[in-house]
């Protein structure tokens, strides 16, 4: 390959890596904390609901039903989408204060959940943040693949780094398979 093309690949690699650095830091910090069993806190406070309040969690129009319910119950809460877990629904994103409704034998109950910073980072890591952040994470995932393939390509194009690149990729693959699937 031409030196000009190699220079372009290096520049693209550096720019993509730099633009994705905050997302990498988020995943490294939140994933590391999680593996060290530091998962954050999400204290709850009970939310008063009108007597006889109901929501049909099986409704095909659940999101619209929830929005109407919040309005009639005079509950101020902004959310983007509903996560239905059977007898519990969460009004997401859960990376910031959110409402959770539960169907119990005694009727509908609600709590306001207030995640701390660590818990919020975990929720973002898991893809439970705002829709735009979820789209950003998908873009970062695609760019990460390009950065990895671009870095390997640049290493393979250089005679001085070709052998080290091959050795590093082979060792990385062996460690991945060994630790991930065989041990």
């Amino acid at each position: 390959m031409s030196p000009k093309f190699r220079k372009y690949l290096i520049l693209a690699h550096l720019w993509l890596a730099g633009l994705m650095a905050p997302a990498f830091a988020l995943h490294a910090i939140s994933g590391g904390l999680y593996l060290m069993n530091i998962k954050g806190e999400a204290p709850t406070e009970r939310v008063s609901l009108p007597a006889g309040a109901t929501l049909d969690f099986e409704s095909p129009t659940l999101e619209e039903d929830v929005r109407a319910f919040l309005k009639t119950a005079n509950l101020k809460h902004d959310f983007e989408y509903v996560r239905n877990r059977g007898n519990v629904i969460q009004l997401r994103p859960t990376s910031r204060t959110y409402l959770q409704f539960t169907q119990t034998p005694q009727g509908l109950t609600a709590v306001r959940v207030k995640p701390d910073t660590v818990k919020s980072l975990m929720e973002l890591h898991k893809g439970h943040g705002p829709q735009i952040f979820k789209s950003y994470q998908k873009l970062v995932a695609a760019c990460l693949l390009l950065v990895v393939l671009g870095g390997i390509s640049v290493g393979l194009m250089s005679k001085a780094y070709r052998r080290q690149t091959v050795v590093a990729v082979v060792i990385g693959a062996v460690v991945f398979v060994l630790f991930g699937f065989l041990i």
Side-chain angles (χ1 to χ4, degrees):
M1 298 259 169
S2 75
K4 208 173 203 179
F5 182 68
R6 186 170 169 270
K7 183 179 178 181
Y8 169 76
L9 275 179
I10 291 170
L11 187 60
H13 177 84
L14 291 174
W15 267 97
L16 283 175
L19 291 171
M20 294 183 305
F24 292 164
L26 164 75
H27 285 272
I29 292 166
S30 59
L33 289 172
Y34 186 86
L35 292 172
M36 292 184 287
N37 208 28
I38 301 169
K39 299 178 182 176
E41 301 290 326
T44 62
E45 65 181 39
R46 190 171 176 83
V47 174
S48 295
L49 298 178
T54 61
L55 273 171
D56 178 8
F57 290 5
E58 302 290 321
S59 171
T61 59
L62 180 59
E63 186 172 319
E64 293 81 16
D65 298 347
V66 169
R67 290 186 192 283
F69 176 82
L70 291 175
K71 191 172 184 177
T72 60
N74 202 26
L75 292 172
K76 303 269 188 263
H77 184 75
D78 187 31
F79 69 98
E80 291 185 16
Y81 56 104
V82 175
R83 172 66 163 108
N84 191 339
R85 299 181 176 273
N87 67 336
V88 175
I89 60 171
Q90 297 172 324
L91 306 187
R92 288 200 174 161
T94 53
S95 57
R96 55 186 175 217
T97 301
Y98 64 96
L99 292 178
Q100 179 171 293
F101 293 92
T102 305
Q103 293 283 7
T104 69
Q106 294 77 33
L108 185 67
T109 63
V111 292
R112 180 170 281 110
V113 184
K114 297 180 178 181
D116 65 10
T117 301
V118 172
K119 187 69 170 175
S120 290
L121 290 174
M122 300 292 171
E123 292 298 304
L124 288 172
H125 182 127
K126 294 188 281 185
H128 302 165
Q131 293 285 16
I132 194 163
F133 192 80
K134 290 168 67 170
S135 297
Y136 166 72
Q137 286 178 300
K138 292 173 188 175
L139 179 63
V140 166
C143 289
L144 175 57
L145 186 58
L146 292 174
V147 166
V148 169
L149 295 175
I152 292 169
S153 298
V154 168
L156 293 174
M157 285 182 210
S158 169
K159 284 185 180 182
Y161 296 109
R162 190 171 296 141
R163 185 173 185 275
Q164 290 105 328
T165 301
V166 171
V167 169
V169 170
V170 168
I171 290 172
V174 168
V175 168
F176 176 82
V177 171
L178 189 66
F179 290 173
F181 300 102
L182 300 177
I183 295 182

